[in-house]
Amino acid sequence: MLATTLQGFTIGLAMIIPIGAQNAFVLSRGIHRNHHLLSATLCSGCDLVLIAIGVFGGANLLAASPLGMALLTWGGVLFLSWFGGRSLLSAWRGKGEGLADSARLMGAKSVLAMTLGVTLLNPHVYLDTLMLLGSLGSQVNESLRPAFAAGAMLASLVWFYSLALGAAALAPWLARSRVQRGIDLLVGIIMLTLALQLALGG
């Protein structure tokens, strides 16, 4: 059982670590120490629910709905294009006007709404949790699926809280103008690349 839990943890961490909309937003909250733990909690909480749904049968349901997948994909293309474009604009202007900086004074309700947006409107979240983790988890012996799911869930918790707390600890360095522009540029390129990949695949 421990081996299965470690397997779920390793696979889950590998899927979560690459920079995406969730990670970028949690990072920006940590840099400004602005409800960063709330953002991390929401991201990991959504992951926990989606991982459970995927491992215990949701992957098959999602794969069986072409319309649902199409709506999810094109909604994600629009959202990721907006996210990426705004980040590139911030990097070009160099005045901290991108998502990470314009949101620095966000209240708890705004952070809540934005975190849910970068999570639930992001098709990669569903592909990683429902489809990929769900498909892999469904191949595990039924009695060991809870252990696999627990490992993947633990990976999400460890990653998002580490990202939020790490960004807060390194805030004086990460908040420098040149570093922030570099982050905005990287995030913008990644978001637009994901949007293009989704559009071509969709």
Side-chain angles (χ1 to χ4, degrees), residues 13 50-51 63 77 97 107 123 125 131 143 153 192:
L13 200 59
L50 293 172
I51 288 170
V77 169
E97 296 182 6
V125 172
M131 296 300 294
S143 64
M153 292 174 180
L192 292 179

Side-chain angles (χ1 to χ4, degrees), residues 10 12 17 25 27 30 43 65 76 90-91 93 97 102 109 114 121 124-125 146 165 167 175 185 189 194-195:
T10 303
I17 285 179
F25 188 70
L27 181 66
C43 285
S65 176
S90 171
R93 289 178 174 175
E97 296 182 6
S102 66
K109 290 183 179 179
M114 196 64 195
L121 293 178
H124 277 267
V125 172
L165 293 172
L185 177 62
I189 292 172
L194 291 175

Side-chain angles (χ1 to χ4, degrees), residues 25-188:
F25 188 70
V26 173
L27 181 66
S28 73
R29 295 305 89 229
I31 291 173
H32 300 300
R33 296 173 181 172
N34 175 219
H35 301 295
H36 52 297
L37 293 181
L38 171 62
S39 184
T41 299
L42 289 171
C43 285
S44 57
C46 288
D47 270 7
L48 265 57
V49 173
L50 293 172
I51 288 170
I53 293 173
V55 171
F56 297 107
N60 297 329
L61 293 176
L62 184 60
S65 176
L67 177 60
M69 285 296 294
L71 291 174
L72 182 62
T73 297
W74 290 108
V77 169
L78 292 175
F79 182 80
L80 293 172
S81 296
W82 168 79
F83 194 111
R86 190 165 181 178
S87 293
L88 289 181
L89 182 62
S90 171
W92 179 65
R93 289 178 174 175
K95 297 179 180 180
E97 296 182 6
L99 183 63
D101 288 297
S102 66
R104 93 176 90 187
L105 299 179
M106 289 172 69
K109 290 183 179 179
S110 296
V111 171
L112 171 64
M114 196 64 195
T115 303
L116 291 177
V118 297
T119 300
L120 301 180
L121 293 178
N122 180 2
H124 277 267
V125 172
Y126 298 95
L127 293 174
D128 288 346
T129 55
L130 282 177
M131 296 300 294
L132 297 178
L133 279 172
S135 297
L136 292 170
S138 65
Q139 297 174 21
V140 175
N141 186 285
E142 189 172 352
S143 64
L144 294 175
R145 287 178 193 172
F148 181 91
M153 292 174 180
L154 180 61
S156 179
L157 289 167
V158 169
W159 172 251
F160 283 117
Y161 280 108
S162 296
L163 185 62
L165 293 172
L170 296 173
W173 180 76
L174 292 174
R176 293 177 182 175
S177 177
R178 187 169 297 180
V179 175
Q180 188 63 65
R181 291 183 70 179
I183 292 174
D184 284 337
L185 177 62
L186 179 62
V187 169

